Amino acid sequence: GCPRQSSDRGRLTPYTRPAQQATPPSVPEDSIPPPIMDKHYLTPLFSPQSVLVFAGNQEDAAAAFAQAKALYANLTAQRFNGEIRFVDIQTTGTLADLALARADLAIIALPHTEVAAALEVAGRMKCKAALVISAGMGADLAADLKRIARRSGMHLLGPNCLGMQRPYIGLNASVAGTLAAKGPLGLVSQSGALTSSILDWAHSNGVGFSAVVSLGPNTVVDLADVLDFLAADAQTQQHPGCQHPAPMGRQRRGRIGDHQQAQQCRQHPA
């Protein structure tokens, strides 16, 4: 007869378990870095790492501007956690040279006739923010400063304000007296007189602040901007804001500050 042919048909193929992939080691939760948060757009203004100061020649006591002398004394009374340089509006050089001297914040305390020139120089130095400390500046000149700041991409606080204080970084960029003590409160006011009164009260009662900001009536950075920054500030737990009635164009942004609010801030600044 015919030989029988072998066949694999009908045979069961042994099952082979596939190789398992190695399980990645677990990572402790506390070793996972927190997500990186974007900096607030006003960080160069309120938490600068480098500052340029236009305050005239402090060695010439007779020619020194009164507010410039007060600012210089307040800036140098304590150690700032950054770099401060004092420059003159006659600073010259190419745009590249000036850009090398860039800083986060430019502080200007000069006679009214010199403020616009200083702000122009700060713009060429690529400063990201500017603070103009002055009193009695007219609306036309204030409008010119706004145009310069916007053209240069700078956030402008002032003019016609007392400046600002940031106790946690040792920055007293104001003419509102000595630096406030450190604390959880953020104070924002358009009234310089009210700002000074609250600071005097705080010094006498041991109350500290994370920030003190005097706005003035002509500022580009307004109350809503500052409160938005303080809401994201780690050192600020509460932030009362007091402001006089503002033009209609600025009331749309959640302004805080009618007569009742001002009375509350006077009586209970915390």
Side-chain angles (χ1 to χ4, degrees), residues 57 60-65 111:
N57 185 1
D60 187 355
F65 189 47

Side-chain angles (χ1 to χ4, degrees), residues 54-58 62-69 88-89 108-119 132-138 141 145 159-160:
F54 296 83
N57 185 1
Q58 296 301 310
F65 189 47
Q67 289 181 320
K69 289 192 293 184
D88 191 85
I89 60 172
I108 302 171
L110 293 170
H112 295 175
T113 55
E114 301 177 11
V115 172
L119 192 60
V132 176
I133 298 175
S134 66
M137 182 177 291
L141 181 52
L145 299 183
N160 296 329

Side-chain angles (χ1 to χ4, degrees), residues 5-65:
Q5 298 181 355
S6 62
S7 174
D8 292 335
R9 189 183 307 170
R11 292 185 180 180
L12 295 177
T13 303
Y15 172 76
T16 303
R17 183 183 297 274
Q20 293 184 350
Q21 296 181 351
T23 303
S26 60
V27 179
E29 292 185 3
D30 58 359
S31 66
I32 300 177
I36 299 176
M37 305 298 291
D38 292 336
K39 289 185 178 180
H40 194 276
Y41 64 92
L42 290 181
T43 295
L45 175 61
F46 294 123
S47 296
Q49 296 182 352
S50 53
V51 178
L52 293 179
V53 183
F54 296 83
N57 185 1
Q58 296 301 310
E59 297 179 358
D60 187 355
F65 189 47

Side-chain angles (χ1 to χ4, degrees), residues 108 112 115 119 130-146 156-163 190 214-221:
I108 302 171
H112 295 175
V115 172
L119 192 60
L131 166 61
V132 176
I133 298 175
S134 66
M137 182 177 291
D140 291 341
L141 181 52
D144 290 340
L145 299 183
K146 290 182 180 181
L156 177 62
L157 178 62
N160 296 329
C161 73
L162 299 181
Q190 183 173 301
S214 170
L215 293 171
N218 304 108
T219 182
V220 176
V221 175

Side-chain angles (χ1 to χ4, degrees), residues 123-228:
R124 292 198 294 270
M125 288 180 168
K126 303 298 182 184
C127 293
K128 301 171 186 177
L131 166 61
V132 176
I133 298 175
S134 66
M137 182 177 291
D140 291 341
L141 181 52
D144 290 340
L145 299 183
K146 290 182 180 181
R147 285 190 287 268
I148 295 171
R150 288 190 173 118
R151 184 174 67 243
S152 302
M154 290 184 290
H155 299 292
L156 177 62
L157 178 62
N160 296 329
C161 73
L162 299 181
M164 57 97 173
Q165 299 184 4
R166 291 283 281 161
Y168 280 94
I169 61 175
L171 180 61
N172 186 359
S174 79
V175 291
T178 58
L179 183 65
K182 298 176 183 177
L185 305 180
L187 172 63
V188 190
S189 175
Q190 183 173 301
S191 169
L194 180 59
T195 301
S196 297
S197 297
I198 293 178
L199 285 176
D200 289 342
W201 175 88
H203 282 302
S204 301
N205 291 273
V207 175
F209 296 92
S210 62
V212 178
V213 183
S214 170
L215 293 171
N218 304 108
T219 182
V220 176
V221 175
D222 62 12
L223 180 64
D225 295 320
V226 181
L227 293 181
D228 188 72

